[in-house]
C-alpha cells in the first residue's frame, strides 16, 4: 500500500484499519472523506485511506483495477522478487489503461507500450515527441491499417508533435486519420499550458496520449491531465485536491488564485524549469517582508510597509550606529528608490505585470516569472509582492538546497511550493503549535 498505492493519491494517508467480511466490497467510500480498501476479497479487515476531499469515481475505479492486477501478480507462485516488483509496476500501467479506456484498454495498453518504447529511442540522433488519440466510440472506415504495423516505424514518429497534431486510432487500434488542434473550443481544462489543446479536445469519448522529448508520457481524458509516466513511475493527478490544499486553513482564499498557482506550478514542472511560489495567509505580508529585499518589491504599498518596518528597527538602541544609513537608504519615494538603486529587474517586472493580481497575469508570463532565479511571493489576494526574490532565511534552516530551505522556512506564513528541476512539486505549510514546516502534498 505505502509503496504502490499511496503515492498515487495526492494528500492521502493511512489512518488505520477496521474489521471486514467477505460480503463487503474491496473498495468503498467511507465516512468523512475516507476510502475503505481490502487487500483482497477474503481479507477480514479494510485499510482506511483518508484525505481532505472526497475520492472521485475515477479514482475508485482505478484503485479497484490496481488491486485486481496486484492480486493476479501476487497469486503467481515462485516469482523472483525483482521480477515480481517489475510485474507489480506493470500492473499499475494496466490498471491505468483499464480505468481510462474501459473495454478498449487492451488497445490503449499496446499504444502506451509502444510510446514508452519510443521514449528510449531517437530519430536522427534526437529525442522525439508525438501523440496519439484513442477514439473510444467511432470505428475506422474502410481502413485495415493497424497501429501495430506502424508504431515502431521511424516515419510514424514524424507525423505528429504531441501538442498540436495527433494521429487518431479507433478502439480496436485501426487508423482513423490525422487530427490538427489549431482550433479547439475553449473548454475549461486542467493540464500543462503547452498541452491545453489536447486536454480540451479529449472529453469523455477520446483519450489523448502524448510523448514528450524528455520521455514523459501524458494521458488526457475528461479535459484534464489524468495520468503521467515520469522517470518510469505512474502518477495520478488529483487536481482539485491540491487546489483545495493550497487554501490550508484559510477560508478567505479565492479558488481563482489557487487555480492559477497550481496551473503555473504544473507548467514549470513539465518544462523542468524549477521555481518557488510563496502564497501568504491573510495578515502575514508584514512578517514575510522581513525576508524580502526592498529592491525586489514590485508594489508601492509593500515597499512603504517594508520601509516603515526597517525604520522602526533602525530606531532601536542596538541599531543606532547604522540608523542614519538606513534612513538615508529609504528617504525617497518608491519610484525614486527603484531608479536610484538600479533595480532594473523590479522596474521591468513592474511594468510587464501592470499591477495585475497573479491570476489575471498571462499564464505563459506567470511561468516565465516563476522560473527566474529566486522566489515569487503572493499576498492572500493574489498581489505579486516580489518575483525573482533572493530570500533571507534563518541560519540553520532545514532543507537540502537553497530552494527547499527557502520554501520550508517561509511555509510558516502560508503555503509554499517548491518546484524542482526534475519536475517534482512539493507543497509545505507549518504546524500551528510549533511553526515547524511539514509536507502538505507532493505532485510528480
Amino acid at each position: 500500500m505505502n509503496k504502490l498505492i499511496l503515492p498515487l493519491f495526492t494528500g492521502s494517508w493511512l489512518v488505520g484499519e477496521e474489521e471486514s467480511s467477505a460480503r463487503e466490497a474491496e473498495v468503498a467510500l467511507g465516512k468523512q472523506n475516507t476510502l475503505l480498501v481490502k487487500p483482497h476479497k477474503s481479507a477480514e479487515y479494510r485499510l482506511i485511506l483518508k484525505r481532505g476531499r472526497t475520492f472521485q469515481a475515477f479514482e475508485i475505479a482505478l484503485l479497484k483495477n490496481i488491486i485486481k492486477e496486484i492480486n493476479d501478480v501476487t497469486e503467481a507462485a515462485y516469482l523472483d522478487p525483482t521480477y515480481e516488483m517489475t510485474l507489480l509496476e506493470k500492473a499499475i500501467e494496466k490498471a491505468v489503461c483499464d480505468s481510462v479506456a474501459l473495454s478498449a484498454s487492451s488497445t490503449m495498453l499496446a499504444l502506451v507500450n509502444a510510446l514508452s518504447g519510443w521514449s528510449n529511442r531517437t530519430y536522427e540522433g534526437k529525442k522525439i515527441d508525438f501523440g496519439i488519440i484513442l477514439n473510444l466510440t467511432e470505428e475506422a472506415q474502410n481502413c485495415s491499417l493497424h497501429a501495430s504495423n506502424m508504431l515502431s516505424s521511424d516515419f510514424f514518429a514524424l507525423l505528429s508533435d504531441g501538442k498540436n497534431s495527433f494521429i487518431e486510432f479507433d478502439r480496436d487500434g485501426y487508423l482513423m486519420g490525422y487530427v490538427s488542434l489549431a482550433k479547439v473550443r475553449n473548454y475549461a481544462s486542467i493540464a500543462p499550458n503547452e498541452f491545453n489543446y489536447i486536454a480540451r479536445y479529449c472529453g469523455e469519448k477520446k483519450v489523448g496520449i502524448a510523448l514528450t522529448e524528455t520521455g514523459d508520457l501524458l494521458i488526457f481524458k475528461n479535459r484534464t491531465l489524468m495520468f503521467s509516466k515520469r522517470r518510469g513511475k505512474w502518477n495520478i493527478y488529483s487536481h482539485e485536491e491540491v487546489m483545495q490544499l493550497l487554501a490550508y486553513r484559510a477560508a478567505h482564499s479565492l479558488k481563482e488564485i489557487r487555480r492559477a498557482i497550481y496551473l503555473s506550478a504544473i507548467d514549470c514542472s513539465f518544462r523542468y524549469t524549477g521555481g518557488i511560489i510563496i502564497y501568504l495567509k491573510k495578515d502575514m505580508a508584514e512578517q514575510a517582508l522581513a525576508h524580502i529585499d526592498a529592491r525586489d518589491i514590485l508594489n508601492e504599498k509593500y515597499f512603504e510597509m517594508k520601509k516603515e518596518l526597517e525604520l522602526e528597527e533602525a530606531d532601536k538602541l542596538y541599531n543606532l550606529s547604522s540608523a542614519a544609513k538606513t534612513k538615508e537608504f529609504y528617504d525617497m519615494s518608491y519610484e525614486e528608490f527603484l531608479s536610484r538603486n538600479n533595480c532594473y529587474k523590479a522596474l521591468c517586472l513592474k511594468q510587464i505585470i501592470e499591477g495585475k493580481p497573479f491570476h489575471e497575469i498571462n499564464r505563459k508570463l506567470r511561468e516565465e516569472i516563476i522560473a527566474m532565479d529566486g522566489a515569487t511571493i503572493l499576498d492572500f489576494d493574489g498581489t505579486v509582492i516580489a518575483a525573482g526574490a533572493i530570500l533571507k532565511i534563518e541560519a540553520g534552516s532545514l532543507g537540502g538546497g537553497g530552494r527547499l530551505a527557502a520554501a520550508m522556512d517561509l511555509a510558516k506564513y502560508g503555503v509554499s511550493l517548491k518546484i524542482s528541476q526534475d519536475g517534482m512539486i512539493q507543497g509545505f505549510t507549518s504546524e500551528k503549535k510549533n511553526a515547524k514546516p511539514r509536507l502538505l502534498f507532493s505532485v510528480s
Side-chain angles (χ1 to χ4, degrees):
M1 174 68 85
N2 286 325
K3 288 185 178 180
L4 290 173
I5 296 177
L6 266 182
L8 290 172
F9 297 93
T10 304
S12 304
W13 68 96
L14 282 173
V15 295
E17 60 182 59
E18 66 178 27
E19 291 184 1
S20 181
S21 68
R23 293 175 301 178
E24 292 175 312
E26 289 173 87
V27 181
L29 281 174
K31 298 177 181 178
Q32 298 178 333
N33 301 336
T34 61
L35 200 60
L36 308 175
V37 183
K38 293 171 66 174
H40 50 83
K41 186 66 178 176
S42 60
E44 297 178 349
Y45 67 95
R46 294 195 290 192
L47 298 170
I48 305 171
L49 195 64
K50 185 176 178 63
R51 74 177 187 193
R53 290 172 62 87
T54 303
F55 288 88
Q56 303 300 303
F58 86 92
E59 295 172 309
I60 296 170
L62 172 66
L63 190 49
K64 288 179 179 178
N65 287 325
I66 289 174
I67 290 173
K68 175 185 176 298
E69 296 300 329
I70 288 175
N71 286 335
D72 287 346
V73 171
T74 55
E75 286 173 5
Y78 311 116
L79 282 178
D80 175 85
T82 303
Y83 181 50
E84 181 177 1
M85 182 52 67
T86 301
L87 288 178
L88 288 173
E89 290 172 356
K90 278 294 181 183
I92 300 290
E93 189 165 292
K94 186 174 184 303
V96 166
C97 294
D98 288 345
S99 64
V100 172
L102 305 176
S103 59
S105 62
S106 59
T107 300
M108 180 175 171
L109 184 60
L111 296 174
V112 166
N113 284 332
L115 291 188
S116 294
W118 266 105
S119 68
N120 298 314
R121 292 174 58 183
T122 59
Y123 180 79
E124 295 186 347
K126 296 181 181 179
K127 289 286 188 179
I128 60 155
D129 50 4
F130 63 93
I132 291 171
I133 291 171
L134 175 60
N135 193 313
L136 300 178
T137 55
E138 297 178 28
E139 293 184 357
Q141 300 296 317
N142 303 318
C143 182
S144 59
L145 285 173
H146 196 267
S148 59
N149 303 130
M150 297 174 283
L151 287 177
S152 61
S153 301
D154 284 352
F155 81 89
F156 184 78
L158 304 177
L159 294 178
S160 66
D161 65 8
K163 298 181 181 70
N164 301 303
S165 58
F166 287 76
I167 302 299
E168 186 171 14
F169 293 95
D170 73 5
R171 58 184 295 109
D172 296 315
Y174 289 98
L175 179 66
M176 294 185 69
Y178 174 84
V179 177
S180 172
L181 302 180
K183 294 182 180 180
V184 182
R185 289 184 64 180
N186 191 20
Y187 293 108
S189 62
I190 301 180
N193 196 23
E194 59 185 337
F195 295 98
N196 249 333
Y197 283 170
I198 183 61
R200 293 176 192 170
Y201 186 77
C202 292
E204 295 181 10
K205 307 296 177 62
K206 293 180 180 177
V207 178
I209 311 170
L211 174 69
T212 72
E213 289 181 353
T214 57
D216 293 339
L217 198 63
L218 284 65
I219 308 294
F220 302 91
K221 191 185 179 187
N222 297 330
R223 301 197 169 89
T224 68
L225 169 65
M226 292 187 70
F227 301 96
S228 75
K229 188 179 184 182
R230 308 179 81 182
R231 300 177 296 281
K233 300 292 183 182
W234 280 98
N235 309 286
I236 179 174
Y237 291 93
S238 304
H239 304 296
E240 294 295 335
E241 173 66 15
V242 176
M243 285 188 275
Q244 182 61 34
L245 287 170
L246 287 172
Y248 188 65
R249 294 176 179 164
H252 63 268
S253 179
L254 294 177
K255 186 171 182 180
E256 292 91 333
I257 302 173
R258 288 183 273 119
R259 181 184 176 88
I261 292 171
Y262 175 65
L263 290 177
S264 296
I266 288 286
D267 294 343
C268 291
S269 171
F270 280 89
R271 289 291 301 276
Y272 291 94
T273 57
I276 304 174
I277 309 171
I278 312 295
Y279 181 36
L280 303 177
K281 289 187 286 191
K282 196 171 185 178
D283 301 324
M284 282 294 178
E286 186 173 302
Q287 296 180 58
L289 283 169
H291 301 267
I292 305 172
D293 191 298
R295 287 163 286 206
D296 288 325
I297 295 175
L298 306 181
N299 184 287
E300 184 174 3
K301 168 187 169 183
Y302 297 92
F303 172 77
E304 293 298 333
M305 194 183 298
K306 174 75 171 178
K307 178 200 288 191
E308 185 178 342
L309 290 170
E310 292 293 316
L311 293 177
E312 283 180 6
E313 186 68 17
D315 283 334
K316 294 179 180 177
L317 288 174
Y318 55 79
N319 280 329
L320 289 181
S321 60
S322 60
K325 187 179 290 187
T326 301
K327 290 176 181 177
E328 181 183 357
F329 184 68
Y330 284 103
D331 188 23
M332 61 193 78
S333 69
Y334 173 52
E335 296 292 341
E336 187 180 0
F337 175 87
L338 293 179
S339 179
R340 187 176 294 186
N341 287 281
N342 299 323
C343 303
Y344 300 123
K345 180 175 68 176
L347 285 165
C348 175
L349 291 173
K350 181 173 173 291
Q351 183 168 338
I352 288 173
I353 291 173
E354 299 178 317
K356 295 176 182 175
F358 186 76
H359 53 294
E360 293 181 10
I361 297 172
N362 175 273
R363 180 170 171 179
K364 183 62 178 175
L365 177 57
R366 296 199 308 253
E367 177 196 321
E368 306 292 358
I369 289 172
I370 294 166
M372 292 190 306
D373 192 22
T376 301
I377 320 293
L378 310 177
D379 206 353
F380 76 98
D381 60 358
T383 301
V384 183
I385 297 176
I390 307 303
L391 302 174
K392 303 172 188 175
I393 60 175
E394 296 177 9
S397 293
L398 300 172
R403 278 179 172 163
L404 182 57
M408 293 178 74
D409 195 31
L410 268 72
K412 57 194 170 191
Y413 304 125
V415 177
S416 60
L417 277 70
K418 183 242 182 181
I419 306 118
S420 303
Q421 288 187 317
D422 66 359
M424 173 71 76
I425 303 170
Q426 293 173 294
F428 297 93
T429 189
S430 62
E431 297 292 348
K432 200 168 185 179
K433 293 180 180 179
N434 54 26
K436 285 186 177 181
R438 74 173 182 87
L439 183 66
L440 189 59
F441 61 83
S442 63
V443 179
S444 296

